[in-house]
Amino acid sequence: MSDQRHRFHETWNSRWTFIMAATGSAVGLGNIWKFPYITGENGGGAFVIIYLACIALVGIPVMIAEVLMGRWGRSSPIHTMYKLVDECGVPRIWHGIGWMGVVAGVIILSYYSVIAGWAIAYVFKMASGAFVGVDGQASGEIFGALLSSPSTLVFWHSIFMLMTLIVVALGVTRGLGRTVQILMPLLLVLLVVMMGFAIRYGDFQAAWNYLFSFHAEDLTVMGVMEAMGHAFFTLSLGMGAIMAYGAYMPDRAPVGRTVLTIAGLDTLVALMAGLALFPIVFASSAIEPSSGPGLLFVSLPVAFGNMPAGALVGTLFFLLVTLAAWSSSISLVEPAIAWLTETGRGTRLQGAILFGLMCWILGLGTVFSFNHWESARLFGRFNFFEFADFLTASIMLPLGGLLMAIFAGRYIKRSRIEAEVSLNTGVLFNLWYWVLRWVSPLLVGLVFAFGLARVFGWV
């Protein structure tokens, strides 16, 4: 059905370019920064098992639906939803899926850019030898000094935002396509190097046991909900980025097998990141695996600074974090820029400047959350950054995914999507279709309800 639809934009040069682009969108701070520390906070192996189950029962089915909808519409998520709503004859309120995705992407990029800026700063700090021989207190003071300086945070925030906007301004083929063809192989090479270092100098066996040993007593309701929410965050679902990338997908590329490849690569990177970080964690008696966000920017620099060739490997590690964030960030603003160019209200360059400026200004709220506004609380519990993260990861993305699953599973005729999904056998298609219609909405609905309950202090 997609081959007869009008194209507003270029398409990827090949199926593998799309796979690398979508994997690059999925592989980011969620894999390298967030996954290791929330695994540590939630007991290790039990959390990993639940996370993998969420990828299979929620992430993959919804991702197939989102790619399918994007390739059907061949335009931005906003205009794709306008087309699908008209063709399926459903109420116009469903237009909101596209708009909500664009807004979510802008909010996420605003704070994502600030956190990625920390990683860039640490590339230079590691390379300068600032962490050689330091202890936990000294490392904490270095990180604290970074967070307490708004001007420094704004500088690195601006650098990363500029890196992102240059790529998206160049377009689908010259910008997004060429960038991911370089970044993704380089990212995987750096991960393999990091794992080699972890095997040589870390406690790899302890890390393996920690990540993959299942202890039912470690499971909590909060951990299960966080695993489901993170499955959405790490696969970039519910925000329109994958729908926009699906619009550039070649007509003959099989949606089902392509999405399985993307989800597999994303999950592999997350697990490799855990196996690269936790051996170093367990090799140092001063580091706890449940150190929270500080695991990356306080604890690990201590380990690197006290290991052979640690400064070099630490520099490569934070370069890895930066590249992962960069490959992911370029997808966050793409839905908004695609919409602007389709309406004829601006070029890609103008769109990059407009939406980049919006993200940059909104990102100042995250900058100030760690200094000037540190004591300010929304709903009595969130600072600005925490609220932006919670609003997107626990509310907007699950809600967007829930609505996409319902729309694709209930309103798009089965006969019109069966050939596009291309899961080889009717059994696989029937399984996907059943999970999309019944299991995914239920699980995503639980994440959404739990998020609302947290806002109102019910849990």
Side-chain angles (χ1 to χ4, degrees), residues 28 61 89 130 146 149 160 169 178 197 243 262 276 310 372 380 404 416 428 453:
L146 174 67
S149 174
F160 185 81
R178 289 182 182 176
F197 179 82
M243 190 184 296
I262 295 166
H372 296 323
M404 287 179 192
R416 303 192 68 183
L428 285 178

Side-chain angles (χ1 to χ4, degrees), residues 196-205 278-284 307:
F197 179 82
I199 293 171
R200 175 65 178 83
Y201 295 105
D203 192 340
F204 193 81
Q205 186 62 51
F278 281 119
I280 298 171
V281 169
F282 284 109
S284 174
M307 285 183 169

Side-chain angles (χ1 to χ4, degrees), residues 22-352:
T23 304
S25 174
V27 172
L29 292 178
N31 300 76
I32 309 298
W33 173 60
K34 194 172 183 180
F35 178 77
Y37 87 72
I38 62 175
T39 298
E41 289 179 335
N42 290 283
F47 179 83
V48 171
I49 296 297
I50 295 299
Y51 169 74
L52 294 177
C54 292
I55 291 290
L57 296 175
V58 179
I60 291 174
V62 176
M63 192 177 198
I64 290 175
E66 189 168 347
V67 172
L68 180 70
M69 293 164 70
R71 191 162 75 169
W72 191 357
R74 288 295 185 198
S75 52
S76 69
I78 293 174
H79 283 138
T80 286
M81 289 312 304
Y82 273 79
K83 290 180 181 181
L84 295 179
V85 165
D86 290 344
E87 294 184 20
C88 294
V90 297
R92 293 183 177 180
I93 193 172
W94 289 96
H95 292 164
I97 294 177
W99 286 102
M100 184 172 63
V102 169
V103 173
V106 169
I107 294 174
I108 292 172
L109 181 57
S110 73
Y111 67 77
Y112 201 87
S113 177
V114 177
I115 307 302
W118 301 354
I120 301 176
Y122 266 57
V123 170
F124 292 95
K125 288 181 183 295
M126 273 289 175
S128 69
F131 291 98
V132 174
V134 302
D135 57 16
Q137 180 178 349
S139 179
E141 291 173 354
I142 292 173
F143 187 51
L146 174 67
L147 298 187
S148 65
S149 174
S151 60
T152 303
L153 294 181
V154 168
F155 173 77
W156 293 115
H157 168 46
S158 303
I159 293 296
F160 185 81
M161 188 64 69
L162 183 63
M163 290 166 54
T164 299
L165 299 180
I166 288 174
V167 173
V168 296
L170 289 174
V172 175
T173 302
R174 291 191 303 133
L176 303 175
R178 289 182 182 176
T179 300
V180 297
Q181 287 173 345
I182 297 172
L183 290 185
M184 290 312 299
L186 181 58
L187 187 150
L188 291 173
V189 168
L190 289 176
L191 255 182
V192 171
V193 171
M194 284 298 306
M195 285 187 64
F197 179 82
I199 293 171
R200 175 65 178 83
Y201 295 105
D203 192 340
F204 193 81
Q205 186 62 51
W208 182 273
N209 293 338
Y210 181 75
L211 283 172
F212 299 110
S213 295
F214 185 86
H215 300 288
E217 65 273 13
D218 291 333
L219 286 175
T220 64
V221 174
M222 181 73 73
V224 172
M225 293 298 106
E226 189 160 20
M228 282 194 275
H230 189 64
F232 265 84
F233 187 90
T234 189
L235 287 177
S236 298
L237 300 178
M239 69 182 77
I242 296 300
M243 190 184 296
Y245 277 12
Y248 314 145
M249 188 177 180
D251 292 324
R252 295 183 179 180
V255 173
R257 294 197 300 274
T258 300
V259 168
L260 288 174
T261 302
I262 295 166
L265 287 173
D266 175 74
T267 304
L268 177 64
V269 168
L271 296 176
M272 287 176 66
L275 291 174
L277 298 187
F278 281 119
I280 298 171
V281 169
F282 284 109
S284 174
S285 59
I287 304 177
E288 290 294 330
S290 56
S291 300
L295 177 66
L296 199 65
F297 294 100
V298 177
S299 301
L300 282 172
V302 175
F304 287 131
N306 290 277
M307 285 183 169
L312 173 61
V313 177
T315 301
L316 293 178
F317 172 74
F318 283 102
L319 178 61
L320 165 69
V321 176
T322 300
L323 295 180
W326 193 15
S327 70
S328 189
S329 68
I330 58 180
S331 69
L332 294 172
V333 74
E334 178 62 23
I337 294 175
W339 168 78
L340 186 71
T341 58
E342 290 165 4
T343 61
R345 297 172 183 171
T347 63
R348 290 193 68 91
L349 177 60
Q350 292 169 334

